[in-house]
Amino acid sequence: MVDVEKTAREMIRNGTWIFKDGAFYQALRLSNERTGVVAYDGDFHFPEDWSKAEKKEAREKLTFILGLNTDLDSFYAELDEPFAFLIDEFNGLVAPASPSPYQALVETIAQQQVNFEFAQRTIRNLVRLAGERVWELYAFPTAEEIASLKEEELKKARLGYRSEYIKSLTKLYLTKKLDLELWDWDVGEAIKYLTKFRGIGKWSAELFLAYGLRKNVYPAGDLGLRRGIAKIFGKRVKDINERDVREVVEPYGKWKGLLAFYILCYDRKTELERRKR
């Protein structure tokens, strides 16, 4: 059974959601541009004035974001040594996903070459600069809202060189020169396509596909993933490269993406504990 609270702890703290009093609240923008907050506490709760179709779309979005359809029992049945301990460590956790491919792209670019904590702050800054306030939360800004930000405004988000990538990729997306609706694409072909665009390397393409489209892929060159594997196998992180990561994770087939996420979460947890000592 999916543990929504554990899953929320691993989400990007971007100001668009909150978990409190046993419920998860998410500010959503629907396909008709209507915004509102949807809650989940085992049941779904919607704004009263939303139509049946709007509630259906919101339910599907929140199910996607929280991975509520993930078959964790089947995943855990496949985990063996040395990864079996992760079941007790993170029981009920699933990999969260982005409400939209465009949001996934922006948040992926924002995470380039910085630690996760700093990336979260810059994303939250951007959301507050350009997003629409909804209740206590913000709806993630649209591509048009981000495109309208002036350079001086964008600097306030502290995105550094990444702001240029976000602006240029947003322009390509708005002019339909960059397609993010790659739902039916093969992973390899999608990576080849995405990496043609300036600002999207292999790491970014893999993370985007996993976080934005729930593709069964992972950024094998990620430092946290390499470091997590080094810890589990008792090795030095400098001795673990992308090829080593793939040799360890690929045998898990349809569960390789989720296993990689668990390893990454293990690294984040142990790094936080190390810094607190």
Side-chain angles (χ1 to χ4, degrees), residues 109 161 164-165 168-169 172 194-201:
I109 300 301
Y161 73 87
E164 181 191 345
Y165 289 159
S168 62
L169 290 167
L172 290 170
L194 290 167
T195 52
K196 290 179 182 178
F197 296 92
R198 182 172 176 268
I200 305 179

Side-chain angles (χ1 to χ4, degrees), residues 57-245:
E57 181 183 348
R59 180 190 297 268
E60 291 172 352
K61 275 183 175 286
L62 205 56
T63 297
F64 180 80
I65 292 166
L66 297 174
L68 296 177
N69 292 332
T70 305
D71 183 0
L72 286 175
D73 288 338
S74 294
F75 170 53
Y76 295 150
E78 295 294 322
L79 284 191
D80 52 12
E81 297 301 335
F83 300 118
F85 80 97
L86 294 171
I87 299 173
D88 290 332
E89 193 84 28
F90 299 110
N91 195 275
L93 174 68
V94 299
S98 172
S100 73
Y102 176 70
Q103 179 176 334
L105 177 69
V106 172
E107 293 185 324
T108 293
I109 300 301
Q111 292 178 68
Q112 291 177 352
Q113 302 297 318
V114 291
N115 67 53
F116 190 57
E117 293 303 318
F118 181 80
Q120 290 186 104
R121 290 196 295 273
T122 63
I123 294 166
R124 189 161 56 246
N125 291 342
L126 181 62
V127 168
R128 287 175 177 170
L129 274 171
E132 176 187 342
R133 189 70 185 258
V134 186
W135 184 53
E136 299 177 13
L137 304 170
Y138 289 85
F140 194 86
T142 63
E144 291 82 1
E145 287 169 334
I146 288 180
S148 70
L149 287 175
K150 295 179 181 177
E151 189 175 336
E152 312 82 65
E153 292 177 302
L154 202 49
K155 282 181 180 178
K156 294 175 184 176
R158 298 183 65 200
L159 285 157
Y161 73 87
R162 290 164 291 276
S163 65
E164 181 191 345
Y165 289 159
I166 288 171
K167 286 280 278 189
S168 62
L169 290 167
T170 295
K171 184 177 179 180
L172 290 170
Y173 174 69
L174 286 171
T175 55
K176 302 191 183 306
K177 294 176 182 175
L178 169 59
D179 184 7
L180 299 179
E181 303 293 329
L182 309 178
W183 302 95
D184 298 325
W185 285 48
D186 169 79
V187 167
E189 289 301 311
I191 291 172
K192 191 183 299 183
Y193 168 74
L194 290 167
T195 52
K196 290 179 182 178
F197 296 92
R198 182 172 176 268
I200 305 179
K202 189 178 181 182
W203 178 92
S204 297
E206 290 171 331
L207 182 57
F208 165 77
L209 292 171
Y211 177 53
L213 306 181
R214 283 203 177 277
K215 296 283 189 181
N216 186 27
V217 65
Y218 53 93
D222 185 83
L223 173 60
L225 188 49
R226 289 171 43 232
R227 190 166 53 205
I229 287 176
K231 290 170 183 174
I232 292 169
F233 283 87
K235 295 185 177 182
R236 296 178 300 179
V237 66
K238 69 178 183 179
D239 294 330
I240 302 294
N241 56 34
E242 182 175 333
R243 182 177 177 181
D244 297 322
V245 172

